[in-house]
Amino acid sequence: MPNVVAVVVTHDPDLVRFRQVLGSLVGEVDGVVIVDNASHNINEIMKLCSQVPNCSVVRLQFNSGIAHALMKGIHYAVEKHNPDWLLLLDDDTIITRNAVKTTLKILEKIPEGIRDKVGIISLGAVNGDCRVYNIRLSGFSGSLIRADVALRTCCRSDFFLDQADFDLYFRVRRMGLLTLQLRCKLIDHRQGIKIYIPLLKRFISYEPPWRYYYIVRNSTILLREGALDPAFYLWQLLNWGLRILL
């Protein structure tokens, strides 16, 4: 099997959940690189890392954002481990048993001429039959990316957080490579905050206004650069704007 190293970005993680994240990686990857964005519980993070084989911590002195942290982690991981693939994860993303092996085995079944053009594969978070789909956009967490491709495309640190993942997928496609997704439950990933909206009489996923600022700012930059579809750009503005308004 190809050599795979996980790069996990942390910032004040829930330690109970983070312990599960690291535990899910044992036996699944050949090494773990934690890039910490100035967490207050860094001592606990380092202690948990010490309990995982081939685990290292790269400490940043301020919250640099996920994009900059991933860039640092990718360069460190390639220099230290020389992997074939890198698995990008948030500090709350748990991978299922044999998720990496399943993905690589499915990749091996793809005809060689197509397989050689695969740059990144997004591990699915919903139940499905593990079919392979061609996608344009996906999040950082749960992305399995070729190490050499990651060095050339990740990441746009001036974006801090939102849309930096979309930019990554766009850059991979611009290299003439495929961006794929496996539609089956391979990761357990938490997104947003659940809040109750009385007008709708239901809970919705919500992000605070400062996140909306980055969504609008960075999406506008990507739109101007031709990396984002205008219809998707407008949908995002309306979708998140209405949530904040409500």
Side-chain angles (χ1 to χ4, degrees):
M1 298 291 287
N3 184 282
V4 180
V5 172
V7 179
V8 188
V9 176
T10 57
H11 177 65
D12 294 335
D14 177 326
L15 293 175
V16 174
R17 177 79 176 186
F18 186 58
R19 182 189 296 272
Q20 295 175 317
V21 172
L22 292 182
S24 72
L25 294 172
V26 175
E28 296 286 334
V29 297
D30 300 285
V32 178
V33 174
I34 299 171
V35 188
D36 183 71
N37 270 323
S39 294
H40 293 93
N41 51 3
I42 182 61
N43 291 333
E44 289 81 359
I45 291 172
M46 295 181 69
K47 182 177 180 180
L48 290 175
C49 179
S50 68
Q51 301 169 6
V52 176
N54 296 323
C55 182
S56 307
V57 178
V58 177
R59 296 182 61 180
L60 303 181
Q61 300 305 309
F62 64 102
N63 185 6
S64 67
I66 189 169
H68 180 265
L70 280 175
M71 181 181 66
K72 290 290 187 181
I74 285 169
H75 282 80
Y76 180 89
V78 170
E79 182 177 346
K80 181 177 176 64
H81 298 281
N82 191 29
D84 301 299
W85 292 84
L86 294 165
L87 177 63
L88 312 182
L89 294 174
D90 290 343
D91 57 24
D92 61 356
T93 303
I94 299 170
I95 68 170
T96 63
R97 185 177 178 85
N98 293 324
V100 175
K101 293 178 181 178
T102 298
T103 302
L104 292 175
K105 286 181 179 179
I106 291 175
L107 181 63
E108 280 298 313
K109 295 179 182 179
I110 298 175
E112 185 176 357
I114 300 176
R115 184 173 67 239
D116 292 342
K117 295 181 180 179
V118 176
I120 190 168
I121 311 171
S122 176
L123 278 60
V126 297
N127 293 326
D129 55 8
C130 278
R131 289 187 180 181
V132 182
Y133 291 82
N134 188 28
I135 59 170
R136 288 174 54 84
L137 307 169
S138 189
F140 279 132
S141 199
S143 292
L144 189 66
I145 183 171
R146 277 174 31 192
D148 60 320
V149 174
L151 284 174
R152 297 170 62 184
T153 58
C154 187
C155 291
R156 191 163 182 163
S157 57
D158 61 320
F159 272 19
F160 187 75
L161 179 60
D162 291 288
Q163 315 312 90
D165 45 8
F166 291 175
D167 180 72
L168 169 65
Y169 275 72
F170 174 73
R171 291 181 183 219
V172 173
R173 291 197 312 277
R174 192 166 58 184
M175 291 176 61
L177 300 174
L178 297 173
T179 52
L180 307 178
Q181 184 178 61
L182 290 183
R183 299 281 174 85
C184 55
K185 186 72 172 180
L186 296 173
I187 62 171
D188 180 12
H189 179 51
R190 295 177 177 178
Q191 288 187 317
I193 305 166
K194 296 292 184 181
I195 63 169
Y196 184 75
I197 303 297
L199 183 64
L200 301 179
K201 297 182 179 180
R202 65 184 178 90
F203 284 90
I204 66 170
S205 294
Y206 173 78
E207 298 290 359
W210 70 266
R211 287 287 301 271
Y212 186 58
Y213 160 74
Y214 279 111
I215 290 171
V216 174
R217 171 191 181 270
N218 298 343
S219 293
T220 301
I221 293 173
L222 291 177
L223 178 70
R224 291 173 58 187
E225 294 176 351
L228 205 60
D229 181 74
F232 184 75
Y233 170 80
L234 291 174
W235 176 86
Q236 281 196 117
L237 266 60
L238 290 172
N239 179 51
W240 290 107
L242 285 173
R243 290 167 189 253
I244 291 174
L245 179 64
L246 288 169

